[in-house]
Amino acid sequence: MDNVSQKKRSEIMRAVRSRDTGPEMLLRRSLHQKGYRYRTHVSSLPGTPDTVFPARKKVIFVHGCFWHGHEGCTRSKTPKGNSTFWKKKILENRKRDKKNCVVLKKMGWEVITVWQCQMKNRGDCTADVIAFLGR
Ligand SMILES: [Zn+2]
């Protein structure tokens, strides 16, 4: 079993998760300013996508590199100690992401995933997203 107490673990999780909410907001604000209208956290769709454009049938996922296991990314390194727990958790997330994406596409949605680090490194990466959304 693991040696991190339940309390400690939820503290860690909370800290990581709150860091992940920033980029998503940044992207949305930027799109809103450009006149795009969307719905957020649409629970009727697989994976409860962050940002949904119903008329265009397009979906944006903003993924935190850590939680969603961004391959080859420095931000996705698992914390020292109790790494089995994190690895399992992140693997589950990745599997779920992949499955959600497949189901959405089958339903006729187009899907783009924006990684947290991409936003950090290249401004808010709105250009890519706009190319995806179309005018
Ligand atoms: Zn990354």
Side-chain angles (χ1 to χ4, degrees):
M1 277 301 283
D2 62 78
N3 48 16
V4 177
S5 74
Q6 195 63 47
K7 187 170 177 285
K8 181 75 190 161
R9 185 191 292 156
S10 47
E11 271 168 26
I12 297 171
M13 278 185 171
R14 215 170 12 246
V16 175
R17 203 166 272 158
S18 62
R19 267 208 302 280
D20 285 355
T21 55
E24 175 179 322
M25 292 302 297
L26 196 75
L27 177 66
R28 270 195 219 127
R29 208 174 302 142
S30 169
L31 289 173
H32 197 268
Q33 277 166 6
K34 290 178 171 65
Y36 289 95
R37 294 298 176 263
Y38 45 79
R39 292 174 58 206
T40 57
H41 297 289
V42 180
S43 55
S44 58
L45 290 175
T48 314
D50 305 311
T51 314
V52 176
F53 301 81
R56 297 166 196 262
K57 271 216 129 180
K58 287 176 184 180
V59 159
I60 302 173
F61 283 103
V62 178
H63 280 176
C65 299
F66 176 77
W67 280 103
H68 297 269
H70 193 194
E71 247 169 307
C73 176
T74 51
R75 287 159 167 261
S76 70
K77 286 206 177 86
T78 47
K80 284 194 180 80
N82 205 18
S83 65
T84 319
F85 166 78
W86 293 109
K87 276 184 187 141
K88 188 167 167 270
K89 185 97 198 144
I90 289 159
L91 199 69
E92 281 165 12
N93 284 345
R94 288 188 60 175
K95 271 191 204 156
R96 200 180 312 126
D97 291 342
K98 211 174 264 179
K99 200 180 133 212
N100 289 336
C101 192
V102 169
V103 176
L104 279 165
K105 282 178 179 167
K106 273 187 188 156
M107 290 164 73
W109 292 83
E110 286 179 67
V111 182
I112 192 175
T113 300
V114 177
W115 292 95
Q116 190 186 3
C117 65
Q118 295 174 327
M119 303 191 64
K120 194 85 178 174
N121 295 341
R122 297 187 287 123
D124 61 1
C125 82
T126 316
D128 289 359
V129 173
I130 284 167
F132 167 74
L133 290 172
R135 266 292 169 197

